[in-house]
Amino acid sequence: MLSIATLLALSAAVGPADAADASEFLSGGTPTFLVGTSGDDAADRGIRRQVEFVQGLLFPGAKILSDVEVDVTNGVDAWPARPVVYGGAHLHADMAALQHCLPLVVESGRIEVGGNVYEGDEYRLIALVPAQPETDTCPGSPQFLWYAGAGTPGVTEINATPDGGFGWVVIDRFGVRDAGSWERVDGRWRARLDHRSLRKPWRAASLDAEGAALTPGSEAPVAVRVHRMESAAGTEADAAQNAAVARGVAQALSRLGLAQAEPLDVYLYPSAAVKASITRAGDGHADVASRSLHALLVDPRPGGPLESLVAHEAAHVLATDAFGVPGSALWGEGLAVWASGQYGGRALEAWRLSPPKLELGVTAFAGTAFFRHPERVTYPLAGLLVGDLVREHGLDAFLEHLYPAGPDDLEAACQALSTDVMSLNAKLRRYRDG
C-alpha cells in the first residue's frame, strides 16, 4: 500500500493543470523539446531532424535540449517546462534512467503498454505520460509528451500520425494500431486499452527481380513481398502488377547505387477509398519504420504509373536505411523524385521545360517552407535540383554532404562540395525563369 506521503505527492503531481491528450498539452503553451542522444550519429541526427521539423513548423520559439543537458534523476524540478521527449529508452539517457518508474516501456525492438506487448522495429508510441510521484526508488516526473519507437531512430515522420484525442497510441505500418487512456488503480497510473483498429487479412507473394514468384532457395537483390487484400481474388493482372513492382524497386536500387537491401513489403490497394480507409490517403506512401510501401493499383505497363510510384516510395525506405534520415524534405523528396525519374506522370526533363514557379531561396526551401507550398510545385523542383547536384558532384558526394544537411548546415555542406548557397539559389532561379 502507498504511504500517506506518497499519496500526497501523487495528488500534487497530477493537479488540474494536467492535459488530457497531446493536442491539449501542446496548445497549452510553448513546449521544450528533450531529444535523445544515446544512439549513433545517424540515430541522433534522425531524432534531431524530426524535432527541428516540428519546432520550425509549429513552435519556432521552442528550445531544444539534449538528454545530457537534463538530469531527470534529480526529480521534477530538474525537468524543463512543458517537456516533449523524443526517443525510446535505447536512444534517450533520461528515459533509460526513468524506465522502471514509468507505466509503459519503449526499448529496442519492444513497446509495452497496458499489458500489451508490441515486438518489432515498426512499432511507435505517442503518449501523454502522467506525472509520477517521488518514491524511495523513483525521483518523480512531471506530465510529459513522449514520441518514441522500438526502432532506430524510431521517430521518423511520427508526427504524421494524429493521436485521435487518446492519452496514448501505438502505431504500426498502417497507422494507429491501439489507443487508450490512463486510469488510477490502487493509487498508480495504468494504461487502459480503449480502441483497437481492425486489420484486414492480406495474401502475400514473394517476388524475384523480374516479378515472378521466388522459388525455394532462390535469391534477389531485395526480397519484395507483394500483399493484396485476401478478399480480392487473384487475376491474370497480378503478374503484370508484380513485374511493375519489381521494376520499380530495381530502379530505386540502381539509381541509389545499391546492390542489395533488406526485404520490402508492398501493399497494393484496389482504390483510393480503400487505401484511405485502411491507412493514409494518397496514391502512395512509404512507412520507413516498417520498410513498407503502400500504393494504389494503377497502370502496371513498363515505365508506367505503378512502376514509377513504387520506385519513388522504395527510394524513401532504401535511402533512409542506407544513408540515414535526410536533413530536409527537399533532399528526401528530391532524391525520391530523381530516383523515379518523374513526377505526376511527367519525366523530369519535361518539368525542366516548363517548371513550377516558386519564389524561394534554397535555405527556406530546405526548411518548413517546403510544406507550405503545393506538392505539385515543390516535388518536381526538388527532383530537378537533386538531379543537377548529383550530375555535377556525383551521387556519393551528394549523399555524404547535402543529403543529411538541414537549413543551418547548408553553407558548410556546400563548402565541402566547393560550391555555395548562392549557386544553389541560382539553379532555383533558372528553373523558375527558364
Side-chain angles (χ1 to χ4, degrees), residues 390-417:
V390 168
R391 189 159 41 246
E392 291 176 15
H393 303 285
L395 178 61
D396 290 345
F398 169 81
L399 291 170
E400 180 181 357
H401 299 294
L402 278 173
Y403 176 79
D408 295 339
D409 308 319
L410 275 180
E411 194 62 63
C414 288
Q415 288 177 4
L417 294 176

Side-chain angles (χ1 to χ4, degrees), residues 97-358:
L98 279 185
Q99 188 83 296
H100 68 289
C101 301
L102 301 176
L104 73 175
V105 173
V106 184
E107 58 191 8
S108 181
R110 180 175 176 271
I111 293 175
E112 182 176 354
V113 57
N116 297 288
V117 177
Y118 310 86
E119 293 186 336
D121 287 355
E122 77 175 86
Y123 291 103
R124 287 140 283 172
L125 170 90
I126 302 173
L128 186 58
V129 182
Q132 304 298 309
E134 180 181 355
T135 68
D136 291 342
T137 57
C138 295
S141 55
Q143 184 182 55
F144 67 93
L145 183 55
W146 196 9
Y147 292 93
T152 301
V155 295
T156 303
E157 296 186 354
I158 194 171
N159 295 89
T161 303
D163 68 353
F166 291 101
W168 60 268
V169 299
V170 172
I171 303 161
D172 66 7
R173 64 190 59 201
F174 298 104
V176 173
R177 178 66 182 90
D178 289 342
S181 55
W182 299 101
E183 59 183 358
R184 293 274 295 281
V185 177
D186 296 331
R188 299 180 183 276
W189 286 110
R190 185 175 71 182
R192 181 179 67 200
L193 178 63
D194 297 326
H195 170 80
R196 170 157 286 175
S197 299
L198 296 176
R199 289 291 180 255
K200 300 287 186 180
W202 298 80
R203 55 185 174 89
S206 295
L207 309 181
D208 65 15
E210 283 72 44
L214 275 175
T215 56
S218 60
E219 296 182 357
V222 53
V224 180
R225 296 181 291 250
V226 173
H227 302 260
R228 293 177 176 84
M229 298 183 68
E230 200 172 88
S231 58
T235 70
E236 293 181 356
D238 286 5
Q241 295 160 3
N242 290 349
V245 169
R247 289 193 304 271
V249 172
Q251 178 174 335
L253 276 171
S254 175
R255 296 284 273 177
L256 295 174
L258 301 172
Q260 58 186 20
E262 294 298 312
L264 293 176
D265 288 293
V266 181
Y267 293 84
L268 299 177
Y269 297 84
S271 71
V274 169
K275 183 174 182 293
S277 69
I278 294 175
T279 182
R280 299 186 210 167
D283 289 352
H285 71 273
D287 184 72
V288 173
S290 63
R291 303 184 58 78
S292 64
L293 321 179
H294 302 259
L296 287 183
L297 270 172
V298 290
D299 189 346
R301 72 181 187 275
L306 183 57
E307 181 179 325
S308 298
L309 183 59
V310 169
H312 181 113
E313 302 304 343
H316 283 304
V317 177
L318 297 172
T320 302
D321 190 44
F323 314 120
V325 176
S328 163
L330 168 60
W331 308 130
E333 293 299 344
L335 188 67
V337 170
W338 171 78
S340 70
Q342 62 82 49
Y343 174 77
R346 293 180 65 197
L348 269 182
E349 291 311 306
W351 281 105
R352 188 183 299 279
L353 296 175
S354 56
K357 307 300 181 184
L358 184 64

Side-chain angles (χ1 to χ4, degrees), residues 62-86:
K63 290 183 179 179
I64 300 178
L65 302 176
S66 73
D67 51 3
V68 299
E69 296 178 87
V70 177
D71 185 358
V72 300
T73 62
N74 288 329
V76 174
D77 291 343
W79 285 72
R82 310 197 65 78
V84 179
V85 176
Y86 277 78

